[in-house]
Amino acid sequence: MKQLTLVQAINDALRVALEHDPRVIVLGEDVGRNGGVFRATEGLWETFGDDRVIDTPLAEAGIVGTSIGMAINGLKPVAEIQFLSFIYPGIEQIITHAARLRTRTQGNHPASLVIRAPYGGGIRAPELHCDSTESLFVHIPGLKVVTPATPRDAKGLLLAAINDPDPVIYLEPMRLYRSVREEVPEGWVEVPLGKARKVREGDELTVIAWGAMVPVASEAALQWERQGVSCDVIDLRSLYPLDEETIIESVKKTGRVVIVHEAPKTAGLGAELTALINEQAFLYLEAPVARVTGYDVPVPMYALEDAFRPDVKRVSQAIEQVLAFE
Protein backbone atom coordinates (compact mmCIF):
# COMPACT_ATOMS: atom_id res chain seq x y z
CA MET A 1 0.00 0.00 0.00
CA LYS A 2 1.01 3.61 -0.55
CA GLN A 3 0.67 6.50 1.91
CA LEU A 4 -1.40 9.03 -0.05
CA THR A 5 -3.26 12.28 0.52
CA LEU A 6 -6.82 12.53 -0.75
CA VAL A 7 -5.82 14.38 -3.94
CA GLN A 8 -3.01 11.90 -4.58
CA ALA A 9 -5.51 9.05 -4.20
CA ILE A 10 -7.72 10.69 -6.84
CA ASN A 11 -4.73 10.96 -9.15
CA ASP A 12 -3.89 7.30 -8.52
CA ALA A 13 -7.47 6.24 -9.30
CA LEU A 14 -7.41 8.12 -12.60
CA ARG A 15 -4.06 6.58 -13.51
CA VAL A 16 -5.34 3.07 -12.72
CA ALA A 17 -8.52 3.64 -14.74
CA LEU A 18 -6.60 4.96 -17.75
CA GLU A 19 -4.25 1.96 -17.60
CA HIS A 20 -6.98 -0.63 -17.24
CA ASP A 21 -9.62 0.61 -19.65
CA PRO A 22 -8.87 2.24 -23.03
CA ARG A 23 -12.38 3.71 -23.05
CA VAL A 24 -11.58 6.05 -20.12
CA ILE A 25 -10.97 9.65 -21.17
CA VAL A 26 -10.04 12.48 -18.77
CA LEU A 27 -11.07 15.97 -19.87
CA GLY A 28 -11.43 19.45 -18.41
CA GLU A 29 -9.84 22.85 -18.01
CA ASP A 30 -6.06 22.62 -17.40
CA VAL A 31 -6.16 18.88 -16.69
CA GLY A 32 -3.43 18.14 -19.24
CA ARG A 33 -0.14 20.04 -19.37
CA ASN A 34 -0.89 21.91 -16.14
CA GLY A 35 -2.02 18.84 -14.18
CA GLY A 36 -5.18 20.49 -12.87
CA VAL A 37 -5.62 23.51 -10.62
CA PHE A 38 -5.12 21.25 -7.56
CA ARG A 39 -2.72 18.88 -9.40
CA ALA A 40 -5.25 16.05 -9.30
CA THR A 41 -4.30 15.07 -12.87
CA GLU A 42 -0.58 15.76 -12.58
CA GLY A 43 1.54 13.49 -14.76
CA LEU A 44 -1.37 11.88 -16.60
CA TRP A 45 -0.98 13.86 -19.84
CA GLU A 46 2.72 13.01 -20.01
CA THR A 47 1.91 9.30 -19.66
CA PHE A 48 -1.25 8.92 -21.73
CA GLY A 49 -1.09 11.80 -24.21
CA ASP A 50 -3.53 14.19 -25.86
CA ASP A 51 -6.00 11.49 -26.90
CA ARG A 52 -6.67 10.31 -23.34
CA VAL A 53 -6.12 13.48 -21.26
CA ILE A 54 -7.72 16.44 -22.99
CA ASP A 55 -7.36 20.12 -22.17
CA THR A 56 -10.68 21.81 -22.96
CA PRO A 57 -11.71 25.44 -23.46
CA LEU A 58 -13.18 27.32 -20.49
CA ALA A 59 -16.69 26.14 -21.32
CA GLU A 60 -18.45 23.97 -18.75
CA ALA A 61 -21.51 23.35 -20.92
CA GLY A 62 -19.15 22.16 -23.65
CA ILE A 63 -17.24 19.90 -21.26
CA VAL A 64 -20.44 18.25 -20.01
CA GLY A 65 -22.03 18.02 -23.46
CA THR A 66 -18.89 16.49 -24.96
CA SER A 67 -18.77 13.97 -22.11
CA ILE A 68 -22.37 12.95 -22.78
CA GLY A 69 -21.58 12.42 -26.46
CA MET A 70 -18.58 10.31 -25.53
CA ALA A 71 -20.68 8.20 -23.17
CA ILE A 72 -23.38 7.62 -25.81
CA ASN A 73 -20.67 6.28 -28.12
CA GLY A 74 -19.26 3.84 -25.59
CA LEU A 75 -16.45 5.80 -23.99
CA LYS A 76 -16.08 6.43 -20.24
CA PRO A 77 -15.40 10.14 -19.81
CA VAL A 78 -14.21 11.57 -16.49
CA ALA A 79 -14.80 15.31 -16.71
CA GLU A 80 -13.31 17.81 -14.29
CA ILE A 81 -15.12 21.03 -13.41
CA GLN A 82 -12.51 23.24 -11.74
CA PHE A 83 -14.83 24.24 -8.88
CA LEU A 84 -18.38 23.06 -8.20
CA SER A 85 -19.65 26.63 -8.50
CA PHE A 86 -18.45 26.71 -12.11
CA ILE A 87 -20.79 23.86 -13.07
CA TYR A 88 -23.89 26.02 -13.45
CA PRO A 89 -23.52 26.59 -17.23
CA GLY A 90 -23.45 22.79 -17.62
CA ILE A 91 -26.45 22.00 -15.41
CA GLU A 92 -28.86 22.12 -18.35
CA GLN A 93 -26.86 19.37 -20.07
CA ILE A 94 -26.73 17.32 -16.86
CA ILE A 95 -30.47 17.53 -16.12
CA THR A 96 -31.81 17.42 -19.67
CA HIS A 97 -29.54 14.74 -21.09
CA ALA A 98 -27.09 12.96 -18.77
CA ALA A 99 -29.62 12.14 -16.05
CA ARG A 100 -32.33 11.04 -18.50
CA LEU A 101 -30.37 9.26 -21.19
CA ARG A 102 -30.74 5.70 -19.92
CA THR A 103 -34.49 6.16 -19.38
CA ARG A 104 -34.98 8.03 -22.65
CA THR A 105 -33.32 5.26 -24.66
CA GLN A 106 -34.94 2.44 -22.64
CA GLY A 107 -31.54 1.32 -21.43
CA ASN A 108 -29.91 1.15 -24.86
CA HIS A 109 -27.51 4.01 -24.14
CA PRO A 110 -26.39 4.18 -20.50
CA ALA A 111 -24.69 7.46 -19.66
CA SER A 112 -21.59 6.06 -18.00
CA LEU A 113 -19.77 9.29 -17.16
CA VAL A 114 -18.24 10.92 -14.10
CA ILE A 115 -18.17 14.63 -13.35
CA ARG A 116 -15.52 15.53 -10.76
CA ALA A 117 -15.76 18.83 -8.92
CA PRO A 118 -13.90 20.29 -5.92
CA TYR A 119 -16.38 21.82 -3.47
CA GLY A 120 -16.77 23.44 -0.07
CA GLY A 121 -14.78 26.04 1.82
CA GLY A 122 -11.88 26.13 4.19
CA ILE A 123 -9.12 27.08 1.75
CA ARG A 124 -9.59 30.87 1.67
CA ALA A 125 -10.81 30.92 -1.92
CA PRO A 126 -13.25 33.56 -3.28
CA GLU A 127 -16.93 32.92 -2.57
CA LEU A 128 -17.86 31.55 -6.00
CA HIS A 129 -15.25 28.82 -5.50
CA CYS A 130 -16.60 27.51 -2.18
CA ASP A 131 -20.25 26.53 -2.63
CA SER A 132 -21.67 23.28 -1.22
CA THR A 133 -24.62 22.69 -3.54
CA GLU A 134 -24.74 18.90 -3.36
CA SER A 135 -28.49 18.90 -2.70
CA LEU A 136 -29.13 20.32 -6.20
CA PHE A 137 -27.78 17.11 -7.73
CA VAL A 138 -29.25 14.74 -5.16
CA HIS A 139 -32.67 16.07 -6.20
CA ILE A 140 -32.22 15.07 -9.87
CA PRO A 141 -33.48 11.54 -10.70
CA GLY A 142 -30.94 9.60 -12.72
CA LEU A 143 -27.82 10.97 -11.04
CA LYS A 144 -25.67 9.38 -8.36
CA VAL A 145 -23.76 11.67 -6.00
CA VAL A 146 -20.75 10.71 -3.88
CA THR A 147 -18.11 12.48 -1.81
CA PRO A 148 -15.10 10.94 -0.02
CA ALA A 149 -13.65 12.00 3.32
CA THR A 150 -10.54 9.77 3.28
CA PRO A 151 -7.86 8.94 0.68
CA ARG A 152 -8.88 5.27 0.62
CA ASP A 153 -12.50 6.20 -0.12
CA ALA A 154 -11.40 8.82 -2.64
CA LYS A 155 -9.78 6.15 -4.78
CA GLY A 156 -12.40 3.46 -4.23
CA LEU A 157 -15.41 5.68 -4.85
CA LEU A 158 -13.88 7.19 -8.00
CA LEU A 159 -13.11 3.80 -9.55
CA ALA A 160 -16.59 2.57 -8.63
CA ALA A 161 -18.08 5.70 -10.21
CA ILE A 162 -16.10 5.16 -13.42
CA ASN A 163 -17.33 1.56 -13.53
CA ASP A 164 -20.97 2.52 -12.90
CA PRO A 165 -23.47 2.60 -15.79
CA ASP A 166 -25.08 5.83 -14.56
CA PRO A 167 -23.77 9.40 -14.45
CA VAL A 168 -22.02 10.13 -11.15
CA ILE A 169 -21.32 13.53 -9.63
CA TYR A 170 -18.07 13.03 -7.71
CA LEU A 171 -17.58 15.84 -5.20
CA GLU A 172 -14.10 16.45 -3.77
CA PRO A 173 -13.88 18.31 -0.43
CA MET A 174 -11.07 20.80 -1.04
CA ARG A 175 -10.42 21.24 2.68
CA LEU A 176 -9.34 17.59 2.87
CA TYR A 177 -7.19 17.44 -0.27
CA ARG A 178 -3.91 17.47 1.66
CA SER A 179 -4.97 17.47 5.32
CA VAL A 180 -4.84 13.72 5.86
CA ARG A 181 -2.68 10.87 4.62
CA GLU A 182 -3.35 7.13 4.90
CA GLU A 183 -2.51 3.79 3.32
CA VAL A 184 -4.34 3.23 0.04
CA PRO A 185 -4.39 -0.15 -1.76
CA GLU A 186 -2.66 -0.33 -5.13
CA GLY A 187 -4.41 -1.36 -8.32
CA TRP A 188 -8.14 -1.41 -9.03
CA VAL A 189 -10.12 -1.21 -5.79
CA GLU A 190 -13.74 -0.08 -5.45
CA VAL A 191 -15.84 1.26 -2.60
CA PRO A 192 -19.48 0.41 -3.41
CA LEU A 193 -21.77 3.32 -4.16
CA GLY A 194 -24.72 3.59 -1.78
CA LYS A 195 -22.83 2.32 1.26
CA ALA A 196 -22.02 4.55 4.27
CA ARG A 197 -18.96 4.17 6.51
CA LYS A 198 -19.13 3.88 10.29
CA VAL A 199 -16.36 6.18 11.57
CA ARG A 200 -16.98 5.67 15.31
CA GLU A 201 -19.18 3.26 17.26
CA GLY A 202 -21.41 4.43 20.09
CA ASP A 203 -24.74 3.88 21.82
CA GLU A 204 -26.05 7.26 22.97
CA LEU A 205 -26.20 9.52 19.91
CA THR A 206 -25.80 9.36 16.12
CA VAL A 207 -23.84 12.01 14.22
CA ILE A 208 -24.23 12.00 10.43
CA ALA A 209 -21.85 13.93 8.17
CA TRP A 210 -20.10 13.81 4.80
CA GLY A 211 -17.13 15.36 3.03
CA ALA A 212 -15.10 17.89 4.98
CA MET A 213 -17.53 17.74 7.91
CA VAL A 214 -16.61 14.14 8.77
CA PRO A 215 -13.41 15.05 10.67
CA VAL A 216 -15.29 17.86 12.43
CA ALA A 217 -18.09 15.52 13.51
CA SER A 218 -15.61 12.85 14.57
CA GLU A 219 -13.61 15.26 16.72
CA ALA A 220 -16.75 16.53 18.46
CA ALA A 221 -17.80 12.93 19.15
CA LEU A 222 -14.33 12.17 20.52
CA GLN A 223 -14.61 15.08 22.96
CA TRP A 224 -17.91 13.70 24.25
CA GLU A 225 -16.48 10.20 24.47
CA ARG A 226 -13.88 11.54 26.91
CA GLN A 227 -16.82 12.65 29.05
CA GLY A 228 -18.36 9.19 28.97
CA VAL A 229 -20.81 9.68 26.08
CA SER A 230 -20.32 7.35 23.10
CA CYS A 231 -21.53 8.37 19.63
CA ASP A 232 -22.06 6.61 16.34
CA VAL A 233 -20.44 8.75 13.63
CA ILE A 234 -21.60 7.95 10.10
CA ASP A 235 -19.83 9.17 6.97
CA LEU A 236 -22.50 8.94 4.27
CA ARG A 237 -19.96 8.76 1.40
CA SER A 238 -22.87 8.25 -1.00
CA LEU A 239 -25.39 11.12 -0.94
CA TYR A 240 -27.53 9.38 -3.52
CA PRO A 241 -28.34 6.58 -3.27
CA LEU A 242 -28.39 6.81 0.53
CA ASP A 243 -27.48 3.91 2.77
CA GLU A 244 -30.83 4.02 4.55
CA GLU A 245 -30.21 0.74 6.37
CA THR A 246 -27.09 1.99 8.16
CA ILE A 247 -28.73 5.31 9.06
CA ILE A 248 -31.95 3.87 10.43
CA GLU A 249 -30.19 1.04 12.26
CA SER A 250 -28.03 3.58 14.09
CA VAL A 251 -30.95 5.88 14.91
CA LYS A 252 -32.98 3.01 16.34
CA LYS A 253 -30.01 2.11 18.52
CA THR A 254 -29.23 5.61 19.87
CA GLY A 255 -32.53 7.52 19.64
CA ARG A 256 -30.75 10.88 19.24
CA VAL A 257 -29.37 12.44 16.04
CA VAL A 258 -27.20 15.38 14.97
CA ILE A 259 -26.69 16.03 11.24
CA VAL A 260 -23.74 18.14 10.11
CA HIS A 261 -23.29 19.69 6.67
CA GLU A 262 -21.49 22.67 5.21
CA ALA A 263 -24.28 23.64 2.82
CA PRO A 264 -26.91 26.21 3.84
CA LYS A 265 -29.62 24.86 6.11
CA THR A 266 -32.75 25.49 4.05
CA ALA A 267 -33.55 22.52 1.79
CA GLY A 268 -30.13 21.01 2.48
CA LEU A 269 -29.64 17.25 2.52
CA GLY A 270 -30.04 17.38 6.31
CA ALA A 271 -33.72 18.13 5.80
CA GLU A 272 -34.15 15.01 3.65
CA LEU A 273 -32.31 12.91 6.22
CA THR A 274 -34.56 14.27 8.97
CA ALA A 275 -37.64 13.35 6.95
CA LEU A 276 -36.24 9.87 6.32
CA ILE A 277 -35.61 9.37 10.05
CA ASN A 278 -39.11 10.63 10.93
CA GLU A 279 -40.67 8.25 8.41
CA GLN A 280 -38.75 5.14 9.43
CA ALA A 281 -37.66 5.63 13.05
CA PHE A 282 -39.85 8.31 14.62
CA LEU A 283 -40.99 6.18 17.54
CA TYR A 284 -37.38 5.44 18.45
CA LEU A 285 -36.41 9.12 18.81
CA GLU A 286 -35.74 10.51 22.30
CA ALA A 287 -35.23 14.09 21.00
CA PRO A 288 -35.81 16.16 17.86
CA VAL A 289 -33.17 15.76 15.16
CA ALA A 290 -30.65 18.63 15.29
CA ARG A 291 -28.88 20.14 12.28
CA VAL A 292 -25.55 21.98 12.33
CA THR A 293 -25.08 23.65 8.95
CA GLY A 294 -23.79 26.58 6.98
CA TYR A 295 -25.96 29.67 7.05
CA ASP A 296 -28.52 30.75 4.45
CA VAL A 297 -26.19 33.33 2.92
CA PRO A 298 -23.54 33.25 0.17
CA VAL A 299 -20.21 31.91 1.40
CA PRO A 300 -18.47 34.95 2.94
CA MET A 301 -14.99 36.18 2.17
CA TYR A 302 -11.91 35.02 4.05
CA ALA A 303 -12.33 36.92 7.33
CA LEU A 304 -15.71 35.31 8.05
CA GLU A 305 -15.23 31.92 6.40
CA ASP A 306 -14.50 30.09 9.65
CA ALA A 307 -17.62 31.59 11.24
CA PHE A 308 -19.73 30.31 8.34
CA ARG A 309 -18.55 26.71 8.34
CA PRO A 310 -19.69 24.33 11.10
CA ASP A 311 -16.88 23.67 13.58
CA VAL A 312 -16.26 21.33 16.50
CA LYS A 313 -17.68 23.82 18.99
CA ARG A 314 -21.02 24.16 17.18
CA VAL A 315 -21.34 20.39 16.72
CA SER A 316 -20.49 19.78 20.37
CA GLN A 317 -23.14 22.31 21.47
CA ALA A 318 -25.75 20.56 19.30
CA ILE A 319 -24.81 17.21 20.86
CA GLU A 320 -25.22 18.74 24.30
CA GLN A 321 -28.67 20.12 23.46
CA VAL A 322 -29.89 16.82 22.01
CA LEU A 323 -28.59 14.87 25.01
CA ALA A 324 -30.29 17.29 27.42
CA PHE A 325 -33.72 17.06 25.77
CA GLU A 326 -36.35 15.37 27.90
Side-chain angles (χ1 to χ4, degrees), residues 32 35 46 126 175 239:
E46 289 83 353
R175 183 69 180 85
L239 308 186

Side-chain angles (χ1 to χ4, degrees), residues 74-147:
L75 297 175
K76 287 181 168 288
V78 182
E80 177 182 304
I81 303 297
Q82 274 194 347
F83 295 88
L84 182 58
S85 303
F86 295 1
I87 204 170
Y88 304 136
I91 279 186
E92 189 274 335
Q93 295 273 0
I94 294 171
I95 297 175
T96 305
H97 299 296
R100 300 169 184 264
L101 192 60
R102 192 141 75 106
T103 300
R104 183 179 292 151
T105 64
Q106 297 183 342
N108 291 315
H109 292 285
S112 183
L113 63 99
V114 177
I115 300 174
R116 296 177 39 245
Y119 86 110
I123 65 165
R124 301 296 189 264
E127 47 87 16
L128 196 57
H129 298 65
C130 301
D131 284 354
S132 296
T133 52
E134 60 268 26
S135 61
L136 293 178
F137 303 98
V138 170
H139 190 66
I140 299 170
L143 296 181
K144 295 177 180 176
V145 185
V146 300
T147 181

Side-chain angles (χ1 to χ4, degrees), residues 153-183:
D153 285 346
K155 180 176 182 178
L157 285 172
L158 182 51
L159 288 174
I162 292 170
N163 212 28
D164 197 88
D166 293 312
V168 179
I169 307 296
Y170 180 90
L171 302 178
E172 303 170 6
M174 294 185 290
R175 183 69 180 85
L176 302 184
Y177 265 153
R178 292 175 173 85
S179 66
V180 63
R181 186 183 294 270
E182 72 174 0
E183 288 188 343

Side-chain angles (χ1 to χ4, degrees), residues 191-212:
V191 170
L193 307 187
K195 186 63 179 175
R197 175 176 69 100
K198 189 72 72 68
V199 181
R200 304 184 69 86
E201 289 277 357
D203 298 313
E204 294 165 85
L205 185 135
T206 299
V207 185
I208 302 172
W210 54 92

Side-chain angles (χ1 to χ4, degrees), residues 248 251-256 280-287:
I248 298 305
V251 173
K252 287 182 177 179
K253 177 178 67 172
T254 67
R256 301 176 190 271
Q280 298 193 26
F282 179 76
L283 296 180
Y284 292 85
L285 290 175
E286 302 289 342

